[in-house]
């Protein structure tokens, strides 16, 4: 199954921005998500025209790799099976397992956000409040 197929259904109850890798680039998917109030943020392929990405979105795309690495380590440490999520239930179970493993871990990994990234994050949180 194409990884892009379940994304639209999984995004039914969310809003805001969704960050993905180059495998999720699709005009059809982006348009469908935008209609639901979700902006798909990805990098571009080498053969594509460059597009404007805000500094914040660019920083989160870079941190996305770190987040996936930390999640993978947590699942491996806790013996949580890694599988591709084909349903919202599978995703939520895997997410909850990773969060529980994170809470139980004594030495927690960190994202190493710069002070500028922290300021942007705090200002975005203030706007949401």
């Amino acid at each position: 199954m194409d990884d892009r197929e379940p994304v639209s259904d999984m995004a039914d109850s969310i809003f805001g921005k969704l960050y993905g890798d180059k495998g999720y680039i699709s005009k059809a998917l982006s348009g469908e998500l935008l209609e639901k109030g979700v902006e798909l943020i990805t990098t571009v392929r080498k053969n594509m025209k460059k597009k404007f990405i805000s500094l914040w979105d660019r920083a989160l795309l870079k941190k996305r790799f770190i987040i996936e690495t930390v999640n993978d380590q947590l699942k491996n440490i806790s013996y949580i099976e890694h599988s591709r999520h084909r349903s919202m239930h599978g995703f939520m179970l895997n997410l909850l397992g990773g969060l529980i493993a994170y809470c139980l871990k004594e030495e927690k990994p960190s994202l190493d956000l710069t002070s500028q990234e922290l300021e942007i994050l705090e200002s975005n949180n203030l706007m949401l409040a």
Side-chain angles (χ1 to χ4, degrees):
M1 174 187 258
D2 185 347
D3 283 349
R4 294 173 288 193
E5 282 185 33
V7 173
S8 183
D9 291 335
M10 292 173 75
D12 276 343
S13 59
I14 64 172
F15 61 91
K17 295 182 180 185
L18 184 61
Y19 296 88
D21 60 22
K22 295 175 187 175
Y24 291 94
I25 295 174
S26 164
K27 286 184 181 181
L29 178 60
S30 293
E32 195 174 328
L33 290 174
L34 206 52
E35 288 176 6
K36 295 178 178 189
V38 178
E39 182 182 359
L40 180 61
I41 309 290
T42 63
T43 55
V44 293
R45 293 190 183 109
K46 290 179 183 177
N47 62 348
M48 295 174 65
K49 291 181 184 179
K50 294 190 179 206
K51 66 177 183 177
F52 173 77
I53 299 177
S54 72
L55 289 175
W56 178 251
D57 290 338
R58 190 179 312 272
L60 285 180
L61 279 172
K62 287 181 182 178
K63 297 297 180 186
R64 183 182 163 276
F65 175 75
I66 296 168
I67 292 167
E68 285 190 6
T69 302
V70 169
N71 285 342
D72 188 53
Q73 288 176 356
L74 290 173
K75 288 186 277 185
N76 287 333
I77 290 167
S78 304
Y79 304 105
I80 300 170
E81 183 180 334
H82 183 290
S83 61
R84 295 192 177 256
H85 312 295
R86 300 296 182 210
S87 71
M88 184 57 82
H89 294 289
F91 167 74
M92 292 303 293
L93 285 171
N94 221 7
L95 177 64
L96 287 173
L99 290 172
I100 291 167
Y102 179 81
C103 291
L104 296 174
K105 188 172 174 65
E106 289 183 24
E107 291 185 29
K108 295 178 177 44
S110 124
L111 289 178
D112 266 344
L113 295 174
T114 65
S115 59
Q116 183 181 14
E117 290 169 338
L118 283 171
E119 285 177 28
I120 293 171
L121 182 61
E122 289 170 359
S123 67
N124 283 345
N125 284 339
L126 288 176
M127 286 190 292
L128 292 174

